[in-house]
């Protein structure tokens, strides 16, 4: 049984560009959350998707947007990249009714130059 | 969500019990205590959670004080592979699909041979 898979694992962009990160949740999970983790910090909540809708959002600007597809997979889009967006982006899925039991992927390491 | 306080770092000898403390003095009656860990360069891993009773699973035990203002995660026989950052998180609810977890900086546990 595959866990949470994310792609790409590493990518480099320049300021002002746009990026799309992808996530496939663990089988049987229907809720997907995205987190940003800067070096030396704990993960920071970006948003959560359930039933193809954004259900909760953290303190991130509108440049961060997402989508959840009918098969529960999800995308994170970041527009107008800034140097400060350089971070590890983590996707987590959780089973229905157990939103606190997050299963995380290995993350996508984004470097903005 | 209630704020948590954890020591920034701890050491433990291999084979001994590791006891990781967490203070959450402002916890509300409907808030649960969650523990996650993050091994270097990996995504966080769910360990255990509880409301007010002590909990045990194959990974660890969670001891919550009677007033619920603090808790301790116990790894009964620490191994070198348990070296990681451990996060204590307080969040409302255990069921449902519509809430977030807020990570702090956690405790870096180093298990020494």
């Amino acid at each position: 049984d595959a866990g949470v898979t994310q792609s790409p694992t590493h990518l480099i962009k320049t300021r002002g560009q746009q990026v799309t990160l992808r996530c496939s949740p663990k089988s049987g999970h229907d809720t997907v959350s995205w987190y940003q983790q800067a070096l030396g910090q704990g993960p920071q909540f970006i948003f959560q998707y359930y039933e193809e809708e954004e259900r909760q959002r953290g303190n991130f600007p509108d440049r961060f947007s997402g989508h959840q597809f009918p098969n529960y997979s999800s995308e994170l889009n970041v527009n107008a990249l800034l140097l400060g967006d350089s971070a590890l982006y983590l996707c987590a899925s959780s089973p229905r009714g157990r939103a606190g039991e997050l299963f995380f992927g290995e993350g996508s390491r984004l470097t903005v130059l | 969500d209630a704020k948590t306080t954890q020591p920034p770092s701890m050491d433990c000898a291999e084979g001994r019990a590791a006891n990781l403390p967490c203070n959450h003095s402002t916890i509300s009656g409907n808030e649960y205590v969650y523990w996650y860990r993050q091994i270097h360069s990996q995504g966080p891993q769910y360990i255990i959670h509880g409301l007010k009773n002590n909990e045990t699973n194959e990974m660890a035990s969670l001891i919550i004080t009677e007033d619920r203002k603090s808790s301790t995660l116990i790894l009964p026989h620490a191994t070198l592979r348990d070296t990681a950052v451990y996060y204590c998180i307080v969040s409302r609810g255990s069921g449902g699909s519509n809430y977030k977890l807020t990570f702090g900086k956690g405790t870096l546990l180093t298990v020494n041979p």
Side-chain angles (χ1 to χ4, degrees):
Chain A
D1 176 29
V4 178
T5 57
Q6 294 186 243
S7 63
T9 56
H10 295 81
L11 68 166
I12 300 173
K13 295 285 187 178
T14 57
R15 282 179 297 175
Q17 285 189 312
Q18 178 264 344
V19 67
T20 296
L21 308 178
R22 296 176 176 82
C23 172
S24 292
K26 184 176 170 62
S27 178
H29 290 188
D30 61 358
T31 301
V32 172
S33 302
W34 286 92
Y35 286 78
Q36 180 196 64
Q37 187 171 27
L39 207 60
Q41 305 294 317
Q44 299 300 303
F45 177 77
I46 303 176
F47 42 54
Q48 180 186 71
Y49 278 84
Y50 172 64
E51 293 185 333
E52 302 179 50
E53 289 189 15
E54 183 181 296
R55 298 292 178 169
Q56 288 223 32
R57 189 178 183 91
N59 189 25
F60 281 81
D62 291 345
R63 297 187 298 109
F64 289 77
S65 63
H67 189 79
Q68 185 179 35
F69 299 93
N71 66 353
Y72 308 124
S73 67
S74 177
E75 288 182 349
L76 164 65
N77 300 292
V78 186
N79 295 322
L81 285 167
L82 304 174
L83 296 179
D85 295 331
S86 295
L88 181 67
Y89 288 85
L90 294 160
C91 173
S93 69
S94 53
R96 180 167 299 181
R98 290 153 57 188
E101 296 174 41
L102 298 172
F103 287 75
F104 283 84
E106 296 301 301
S108 294
R109 171 74 63 187
L110 170 65
T111 301
V112 182
L113 302 176
Chain B
D1 295 337
K3 180 179 171 60
T4 61
T5 303
Q6 299 179 254
S9 64
M10 293 182 63
D11 286 318
C12 176
E14 188 177 19
R16 304 297 295 268
N19 297 281
L20 293 98
C22 179
N23 286 321
H24 32 78
S25 59
T26 61
I27 192 170
S28 301
N30 64 347
E31 289 182 315
Y32 285 69
V33 180
Y34 288 86
W35 282 85
Y36 280 75
R37 73 179 182 183
Q38 187 171 23
I39 296 170
H40 184 61
S41 298
Q42 297 183 19
Q45 177 188 22
Y46 166 80
I47 302 174
I48 198 168
H49 76 280
L51 182 62
K52 51 184 173 182
N53 297 321
N54 299 336
E55 302 287 345
T56 296
N57 63 20
E58 65 279 3
M59 289 184 66
S61 295
L62 173 60
I63 309 298
I64 303 174
T65 58
E66 191 169 345
D67 63 7
R68 303 209 321 123
K69 293 185 177 182
S70 66
S71 60
T72 301
L73 179 75
I74 301 172
L75 307 179
H77 305 287
T79 71
L80 298 179
R81 289 177 294 179
D82 292 321
T83 293
V85 176
Y86 287 77
Y87 298 99
C88 170
I89 303 164
V90 171
S91 184
R92 67 165 180 85
S94 174
S97 298
N98 191 22
Y99 63 94
K100 65 181 182 182
L101 297 183
T102 301
F103 289 76
K105 292 191 175 182
T107 296
L108 173 60
L109 174 68
T110 302
V111 181
N112 300 304

